[in-house]
Amino acid sequence: MLPPPAHAVCKASHDIVCCPANCQEKALSEPITRRTGARRHGGHPRRASPMRPQPCLTSGTTDTEGTIMPMTQRHRRFLPRLRATLIASAAALACMLITLSAPFPASAVDQVTRTDDFERANGSLGANWVSDRGAWSIASGEALSAATPTNAVATYRPVQLGSSYTVSAQIRIVSSSPSGAEWSGIAANVRGTTSLDYYVLRVSTAGGARTGQWQLLKMAASTTPTVLAQGNMNAPYGSSLELNLGRTGTRFTVSVRNSDSGTTLVDTSYTLPTTDPTRVGGSAGLYSNTGNLRAKSFSLTTSTPAISPTATRSDDFERVNGSLGADWVSDRGAWSIASGEALSAATPTNAVATYRPLQLGSSYTVSAQIRIVSSSPSGAEWSGIAANVRGTTSLDYYVLRVSTAGGARTGQWQLLKMAASTTPTVLAQGNMNAPYGSSLELNLGRDGTRFTVSVRNSDSGTTLVDTSYTLPTTDPTRVGGSAGLYSNTGNLRAKSFSLTTSTPAISPPGTLDCTVDKGSYDFPDAQQQVLQTIPVDTTWAGMPVTQRVLTHNDDQYVAYYDGARRMTIAHRSLSDNSWTKKVLPSTLGWDSHNYISLGLDRDGNLHVSGNMHNAALVYFRTTVPGDVTSLTRVTTMIDASTENSVTYPEFVNRQDGSLVFSYRNGGSGDGVTYFNVYNEASSTWSRLVDEPLFDGNGSADNPSGTWNAYFENPTLGPDGWFHMIWVWRDTPDAATNSRLSYAKSRNLVDWFDSAGHALTTPFRYGEADVIDPVPDGGGLLNGNAKLGFDAEGTPIISYHKYDGDGNSQIYVARPDGSGAWDIHQISDWKGRWSFGGGGSLAFTVSMLGSEVMEDGNIRVEFTCSGEPRSIVIDGGLHPVAEASTPELPAEITDVRGTYPGLAVRLQTDLAGRNDTGTYYLRWESLPANQDSPRTDWPEEGSALEVVLLGPPSAQ
């Protein structure tokens, strides 16, 4: 669990980049679709109780255990909205349809479907579309292109085409002077950037002396068509037409229907004489020759996975003795050809030579015919084939290597991950019946994260090995690159080498770029203004640490460290701007973990805890409601032996108003989380449950393993349930977070999965409701997953992880009611944020939660390299646009101090938004310093003030 830290803003002095100012109290979120057709859920939005302090985590830094330091929150309004229901009827099809729906056999290939009805504001096509050729836009709910250039194409990018698909579109053709040559249609297998190759079904309605016509074309280099099939059709000008282009292998199906009359105008097929490798996979979309297309909708169904063009090369080494040749590079060791075979010198070990005419794509097969020679066979003469070879003097790669029998050893095979040329990790291995002298055929295939391994005795034809291995996650240092030969001690003799790979070649993800706008968006309620500013005191500014404001009825409390670093509590009535203050006997050091938490019990007494990182409990409570001068220290809540190493204190109120306190006792990796409940009548605490909620000792798959659960404080949703998410961490290394999980409860005692099935506690690794089984190293980070709710009150989780190519992406997940989760990738970034280790992490991406906006869409907020950003998604969790988040007023986001490096910190009211606006606690500080002392800092401190922000109409 993570401490809510101060929220840094986007404007800072001296090039210090800070966090966004509009962090939210609740985190709404959502995820590449794992299930098609996200379900809608009923429910009624409900405002959260102001009695319920709710923590929220923000961007910036993390604690010394690699956890994010929680930040601000903003109370969410759950705005009711209608969710569109897709009705598969002729009436619906008459209103929309560019459908890519495929003729798949009933035996079931995996497939995915997407649609777009273009029912959105005039302007760009949106984040899901790319205008490959020509300028494309939306006007009055239809997609169209400019009149020039000819052969304009726009492609839909969330889904790439597989081996079978159908593309359909509902279109009309407009012209001030119809000539019958206003060609418009749908394109498929679109590949290329400025020069496009694709297939297109295009039509024209009657005009001039021409009747309606249709054509199936193969387009090359954007403007050079070859007619594959064509004909006339009865399509008067003004007809609304439904176009369908299907493909399975080399066979195309073509149909055109008059949507007004229901008449089928074209129903035919065409078979390619052979597959054109430049026109497989790729994208599908819209086509307009002269700007006359008006497309009412678009949707596609395609088999998965997407397919790519392939290239094949081979080398039989039948040439004169000497060097391997111009196509080869001796990356490690001396390599040569002798008597039609490739070989390396005996030293150094782990020699590698790579074949350079082809670089590897996402799928490939590397093969070689080899034998092993030795004057004294020992069974350790490892030889084989290498793939995804990257580097120069220090090589990283995968290798399938084998040895034939020798000495007391039988034949063996191994699939290794090699690092820095000489450090292997065994991924899979085994024995095989391969006597010395056997001629062996080796095959190493890869498709994404899955390897296939086969070894065959070429003399007998016997298959010796036939197996597979799946990587838990993509290693970005070993994608793309080259393939070639491997010899550990110079005993390899390779008779041939061949390589088949998908194209284009792929490269490791570079530095993450997550600040590219995709589409524009007019955010509703973007304008906020300062309605009131109330000075509080001078606060410590040497490093960021979370300070709190809590408003309840007419009372407002602020918890902070004063200029002398002393924990201080201030109180005022909302009708009075003067504060009553109480300095508490606890002084801050240099540790940013040591935030302060506040809670109110049902009698109105204030509870305070903080300034702890693996330290004895620091806890105070008032004896007179509303009187902070009555705050008294309580040294023990329940048991001093479980309160001697406390971190992450948090208060939360249950639905009956009872106050619950949670904390971790112990360090990262071996800490235990406790939940206590307060009894107002006896002024005592007791355990809410008899045992810890999480048990990280062992799992069904790994009884000896140990994990630590990092959870977000339970959040009371509009459905009356507390919802909680967590990740498991294997080691203090932040890269070892895995298995994003979920549970819900009415009372924080009895827990259930998303479908309402009872769960057993304590929760163990891999149990409860696993949202996404992200493995270690998969790009998941504790504290950077956010829980929120959609307009119907259904939980939505937003988080980041790596995609199949190793790029960092944002995902959102929502339960479908059956116990499964609909997961959608909502970003389309290039590059990777590689994080790991302990200590304070420099955050490239910080998740800030999500919010249902007044227009019914959901805004998922985050920071990228300190810049506030938002991805807008619709009710189906599909991305609409990605853009900068609207800024808060410069009056609070501009740095006022002159000390170099100061940044603005904002913390939202724990009670959330009120009827007028939202209270923020504002101050300035230097950035984190890995919890280490500084020699210089602004000793004068920073002004601390409460600021009320709201819409102009609230003033």
Side-chain angles (χ1 to χ4, degrees):
M1 175 175 157
L2 309 172
H7 175 49
V9 183
C10 55
K11 297 183 180 180
S13 63
H14 304 277
D15 299 324
I16 296 296
V17 180
C18 313
C19 321
N22 52 347
C23 180
Q24 306 162 355
E25 177 194 33
K26 292 192 166 102
L28 272 146
S29 358
E30 343 208 311
I32 234 158
T33 298
R34 204 162 50 187
R35 299 170 58 92
T36 58
R39 294 180 54 178
R40 273 56 171 176
H41 303 266
H44 299 283
R46 180 172 123 189
R47 182 181 287 274
S49 165
M51 279 288 292
R52 180 174 45 82
Q54 298 287 345
C56 166
L57 308 180
T58 192
S59 62
T61 60
T62 60
D63 64 29
T64 54
E65 296 159 6
T67 60
I68 301 176
M69 297 173 358
M71 302 194 18
T72 45
Q73 289 186 323
R74 184 169 69 208
H75 181 62
R76 299 293 187 197
R77 292 179 294 179
F78 301 99
L79 302 174
R81 62 184 175 85
L82 294 176
R83 290 204 170 188
T85 303
L86 180 62
I87 309 238
S89 65
L93 287 172
C95 299
M96 53 165 258
L97 223 59
I98 288 186
T99 312
L100 276 154
S101 36
F104 295 112
S107 65
V109 207
D110 288 339
Q111 61 183 23
V112 64
T113 299
R114 293 289 186 276
T115 63
D116 192 337
D117 62 7
F118 305 117
E119 289 293 338
R120 47 188 178 269
N122 292 352
S124 69
L125 285 183
N128 288 334
W129 289 84
V130 171
S131 297
D132 301 89
R133 180 174 168 87
W136 288 77
S137 60
I138 290 177
S140 302
E142 295 179 312
L144 62 148
S145 78
T148 57
T150 58
N151 300 297
V153 172
T155 52
Y156 182 79
R157 292 303 179 88
V159 176
Q160 298 291 285
L161 298 179
S163 57
S164 298
Y165 61 77
T166 299
V167 185
S168 306
Q170 188 77 20
I171 73 166
R172 62 191 182 96
I173 293 174
V174 299
S175 175
S176 59
S177 179
S179 66
E182 295 84 8
W183 293 103
S184 303
I186 47 180
N189 300 125
V190 182
R191 304 198 68 93
T193 51
T194 55
S195 179
L196 305 178
D197 297 326
Y198 55 93
Y199 296 106
V200 58
L201 168 60
R202 67 180 194 175
V203 297
S204 65
T205 50
R210 296 179 178 176
T211 184
Q213 302 172 79
W214 67 272
Q215 290 183 331
L216 176 63
L217 304 180
K218 180 174 77 170
M219 188 69 73
S222 298
T223 58
T224 305
T226 299
V227 176
L228 304 179
Q230 63 182 340
N232 296 327
M233 62 183 188
N234 182 18
Y237 175 75
S239 300
S240 181
L241 302 176
E242 177 192 317
L243 279 58
N244 299 280
L245 175 61
R247 181 179 182 183
T248 301
T250 58
R251 183 176 182 267
F252 285 98
T253 56
V254 173
S255 71
V256 181
R257 191 173 70 92
N258 186 312
S259 302
D260 301 323
S261 66
T263 305
T264 297
L265 308 178
V266 181
D267 187 5
T268 188
S269 64
Y270 172 82
T271 300
L272 296 168
T274 185
T275 299
D276 181 347
T278 64
R279 293 175 181 82
V280 296
S283 304
L286 300 170
Y287 167 93
S288 180
N289 191 36
T290 50
N292 305 99
L293 170 74
R294 298 296 183 271
K296 295 180 179 293
S297 66
F298 178 89
S299 98
L300 85 85
T301 300
T302 178
S303 61
T304 59
I307 58 175
S308 303
T310 60
T312 299
R313 296 288 188 277
S314 62
D315 192 337
D316 61 8
F317 304 118
E318 289 294 339
R319 46 189 177 271
V320 297
N321 293 352
S323 70
L324 285 182
D327 289 339
W328 290 83
V329 171
S330 296
D331 299 271
R332 180 175 169 87
W335 287 78
S336 60
I337 290 177
S339 304
E341 294 178 315
L343 62 148
S344 77
T347 57
T349 58
N350 300 297
V352 172
T354 51
Y355 182 77
R356 294 303 179 90
L358 279 183
Q359 297 291 285
L360 298 179
S362 57
S363 300
Y364 59 75
T365 300
V366 183
S367 304
Q369 189 81 19
I370 73 165
R371 63 189 182 95
I372 293 174
V373 298
S374 174
S375 59
S376 179
S378 66
E381 297 83 7
W382 293 104
S383 303
I385 47 180
N388 299 124
V389 182
R390 305 200 67 93
T392 51
T393 55
S394 179
L395 305 178
D396 297 324
Y397 56 92
Y398 297 104
V399 57
L400 168 60
R401 68 181 194 175
V402 297
S403 65
T404 50
R409 296 179 177 177
T410 184
Q412 301 171 78
W413 68 272
Q414 290 183 330
L415 176 63
L416 304 180
K417 180 175 76 171
M418 189 69 73
S421 299
T422 59
T423 305
T425 300
V426 177
L427 304 180
Q429 62 182 341
N431 296 327
M432 63 182 186
N433 183 18
Y436 176 74
S438 301
S439 180
L440 302 175
E441 177 190 314
L442 278 58
N443 298 280
L444 176 61
R446 182 179 183 183
D447 188 356
T449 57
R450 183 175 183 269
F451 285 98
T452 55
V453 172
S454 71
V455 181
R456 192 173 69 92
N457 186 313
S458 303
D459 301 322
S460 66
T462 304
T463 297
L464 307 178
V465 181
D466 186 3
T467 190
S468 65
Y469 172 82
T470 300
L471 296 167
T473 186
T474 299
D475 181 346
T477 64
R478 293 173 182 82
V479 296
S482 304
L485 299 172
Y486 166 93
S487 180
N488 191 35
T489 51
N491 305 99
L492 170 74
R493 299 296 184 270
K495 296 178 178 295
S496 65
F497 173 87
S498 66
L499 164 64
T500 298
T501 180
S502 61
T503 59
I506 59 175
S507 300
T511 302
L512 178 62
D513 182 4
C514 49
T515 59
V516 178
D517 287 354
K518 295 187 177 178
S520 59
Y521 199 79
D522 185 12
F523 290 93
D525 287 340
Q527 289 189 347
Q528 295 280 300
Q529 71 178 37
V530 175
L531 304 179
Q532 187 182 18
T533 300
I534 308 101
V536 180
D537 201 346
T538 297
T539 187
W540 165 248
M543 89 285 190
V545 62
T546 297
Q547 307 182 116
R548 294 283 177 70
V549 56
L550 170 61
T551 306
H552 175 58
N553 295 333
D554 189 47
D555 294 304
Q556 188 169 75
Y557 301 91
V558 174
Y560 63 100
Y561 295 102
D562 68 11
R565 306 195 207 184
R566 300 175 299 177
M567 185 186 293
T568 307
I569 308 299
H571 168 265
R572 75 177 182 104
S573 297
L574 294 184
S575 57
D576 185 357
N577 290 349
S578 61
W579 297 90
T580 300
K581 300 170 186 174
K582 173 74 170 182
V583 176
L584 301 176
S586 182
T587 302
L588 177 69
W590 287 94
D591 195 332
S592 291
H593 290 80
N594 294 19
Y595 65 91
I596 310 173
S597 186
L598 298 176
L600 287 167
D601 63 33
R602 286 173 290 197
D603 289 342
N605 277 307
L606 181 70
H607 297 248
V608 180
S609 184
N611 198 20
M612 299 170 293
H613 182 202
N614 299 335
L617 178 69
V618 177
Y619 164 62
F620 305 85
R621 65 172 177 257
T622 60
T623 57
V624 178
D627 181 5
V628 295
T629 65
S630 71
L631 279 165
T632 303
R633 182 162 189 173
V634 179
T635 57
T636 303
M637 272 192 177
I638 297 175
D639 181 356
S641 67
T642 60
E643 299 167 7
N644 57 3
S645 184
V646 178
T647 314
Y648 308 142
E650 288 297 341
F651 294 99
V652 64
N653 293 96
R654 295 195 290 181
Q655 287 180 283
D656 62 359
S658 58
L659 185 65
V660 173
F661 179 68
S662 66
Y663 66 98
R664 187 189 78 187
N665 199 64
S668 176
D670 64 357
V672 175
T673 298
Y674 294 95
F675 284 78
N676 300 338
V677 62
Y678 187 66
N679 185 316
E680 289 88 350
S682 62
S683 299
T684 60
W685 291 87
S686 61
R687 293 280 190 245
L688 183 64
V689 289
D690 293 333
E691 58 185 352
L693 190 58
F694 300 96
D695 182 358
N697 293 313
S699 69
D701 296 333
N702 183 7
S704 63
T706 57
W707 296 268
N708 193 54
Y710 282 81
F711 70 95
E712 300 288 297
N713 216 38
T715 299
L716 183 61
D719 55 359
W721 289 80
F722 283 98
H723 302 263
M724 182 172 66
I725 58 174
W726 69 93
V727 300
W728 294 94
R729 198 153 102 187
D730 192 11
T731 73
D733 183 353
T736 62
N737 285 286
S738 65
R739 300 210 180 193
L740 179 62
S741 304
Y742 166 89
K744 66 179 181 179
S745 174
R746 292 279 190 188
N747 54 15
L748 301 181
V749 175
D750 304 302
W751 293 89
F752 301 83
D753 69 9
S754 61
H757 303 126
L759 296 172
T760 301
T761 56
F763 298 132
R764 300 169 69 87
Y765 181 77
E767 297 178 359
D769 191 345
V770 177
I771 300 169
D772 192 341
V774 182
D776 284 9
L780 185 67
L781 185 59
N782 52 293
N784 230 13
K786 299 303 174 187
L787 170 67
F789 306 90
D790 66 11
E792 283 75 32
T794 306
I796 296 177
I797 289 79
S798 56
Y799 59 103
H800 58 74
K801 65 173 184 176
Y802 301 137
D803 64 16
D805 294 326
N807 297 296
S808 295
Q809 305 291 357
I810 291 179
Y811 293 77
V812 290
R814 179 170 60 193
D816 70 357
S818 70
W821 291 76
D822 292 327
I823 298 181
H824 297 245
Q825 177 184 320
I826 62 171
S827 64
D828 186 22
W829 294 339
K830 301 300 180 186
R832 178 184 179 100
W833 171 32
S834 294
F835 55 82
S840 297
L841 303 181
F843 268 67
T844 300
V845 177
S846 292
M847 303 301 300
L848 302 180
S850 51
E851 176 181 20
V852 180
M853 298 183 292
E854 288 187 356
D855 61 3
N857 287 329
I858 297 168
R859 181 169 76 193
V860 178
E861 294 186 273
F862 60 97
T863 64
C864 171
S865 300
E867 178 185 336
R869 306 279 298 167
S870 293
I871 297 176
V872 178
I873 57 178
D874 61 21
L877 311 186
H878 302 120
V880 175
E882 180 175 343
S884 295
T885 300
E887 292 185 2
L888 291 179
E891 297 167 70
I892 66 169
T893 61
D894 282 345
V895 173
R896 303 170 194 162
T898 59
Y899 195 92
L902 285 174
V904 172
R905 314 292 168 183
L906 291 174
Q907 189 76 36
T908 54
D909 192 346
L910 286 170
R913 185 179 300 159
N914 57 49
D915 292 336
T916 304
T918 301
Y919 284 105
Y920 287 81
L921 191 63
R922 183 202 182 278
W923 72 101
E924 297 174 10
S925 81
L926 295 179
N929 196 43
Q930 295 186 317
D931 301 332
S932 299
R934 284 188 162 97
T935 55
D936 296 294
W937 63 89
E939 296 185 19
E940 68 278 10
S942 165
L944 178 71
E945 56 192 26
V946 172
V947 181
L948 177 62
L949 288 184
S953 59
Q955 194 167 34

